[in-house]
Amino acid sequence: MKLFYSAASPFVRKVRLAAAVRGISDRIELVATDTMASPPDLLAANPLSKIPALVTREGQSLFDSPVICEYLDTVGEAPRLFPAEGPERWSSLRLQALGDGIMDAAVASVYEGRRPQEGARSANIARQKAAISRGLDAIEAEIEALDGPWTIGGVSVVAALGYLNFRLGADNWLATRPKLAAWYERVSAEPLIAESAPA
């Protein structure tokens, strides 16, 4: 398999974490990619010129982290990240949506922060940061859902928190969320999590 990636992307990290948890990282070739340059290989894999994009063993192109992670969940013999049914499935998918939403808001906030100052821009940054805060509060309130075996929800939350620390660390997001902070500190020490942390 071939994964078009940037080490700074939280969505790429989510895919890499899913592969690591599934024990299949060694089956994926990483291809460093500048999406702004829209290289032909990336466009062949994803006409939207976005990462992550994965070319499967069968030669099929997949993009968007939820789709790629669900595909990776079919590779190898490790326990599934996507519970098959029942309340565990919906809890996991809900946490994935929270993690992905936090990542969306964080990326938007970072990109807005790089543009020249203006009132509308500042309002958008504040809106994105409020979404991050509400999402983190929701995860703090249901931290028990992250205990137990890895699911796609936990993978998404780790990727989101790693990106927040990497790009928006000055906001100290976990200072007022002690349960989430303790969980993140514990899982971040796991080698398969630490391996893909943004530098």
Side-chain angles (χ1 to χ4, degrees):
M1 294 178 281
K2 184 183 293 189
L3 179 67
F4 293 91
Y5 87 110
S6 166
S9 167
F11 296 101
V12 167
R13 184 169 189 218
K14 175 184 164 185
V15 168
R16 293 182 67 198
L17 287 170
V21 170
R22 299 273 310 143
I24 58 171
S25 295
D26 60 342
R27 301 183 195 184
I28 298 174
E29 174 191 350
L30 298 175
V31 181
T33 305
D34 176 5
T35 58
M36 299 308 250
S38 295
D41 287 353
L42 174 62
L43 295 179
N46 183 354
L48 303 174
S49 191
K50 291 183 174 184
I51 55 172
L54 180 81
V55 178
T56 69
R57 301 166 297 180
E58 301 82 16
Q60 184 176 21
S61 296
L62 301 175
F63 41 90
D64 201 19
S65 65
V67 175
I68 295 171
C69 288
E70 196 155 356
Y71 170 78
L72 294 178
D73 211 29
T74 68
V75 179
E77 303 302 321
R80 301 298 290 260
L81 293 173
F82 289 82
E85 59 189 1
E88 288 178 346
R89 177 171 177 77
W90 303 118
S91 175
S92 178
L93 292 178
R94 181 175 183 277
L95 283 168
Q96 175 182 224
L98 275 170
D100 287 358
I102 290 168
M103 287 185 274
D104 282 333
V107 169
S109 181
V110 167
Y111 279 106
E112 281 293 314
R114 294 177 178 166
R115 294 176 51 196
Q117 290 291 333
E118 60 184 56
R121 183 179 147 269
S122 296
N124 189 36
I125 291 172
R127 180 177 176 275
Q128 299 301 333
K129 287 188 175 185
I132 293 167
S133 186
R134 289 189 305 270
L136 293 173
D137 288 344
I139 296 168
E140 175 81 1
E142 59 181 274
I143 193 73
E144 306 79 31
L146 292 172
D147 291 335
W150 281 103
T151 67
I152 195 61
V155 166
S156 295
V157 170
V158 166
L161 295 177
Y163 189 75
L164 288 177
N165 285 342
F166 177 58
R167 292 289 192 203
L168 300 171
D171 291 331
N172 203 9
W173 296 101
L174 297 179
T176 57
R177 296 165 180 97
K179 293 184 280 187
L180 185 55
W183 177 82
Y184 183 64
E185 183 179 345
R186 180 173 46 83
V187 300
S188 292
E190 294 181 21
L192 65 93
I193 302 300
E195 176 183 303
S196 64

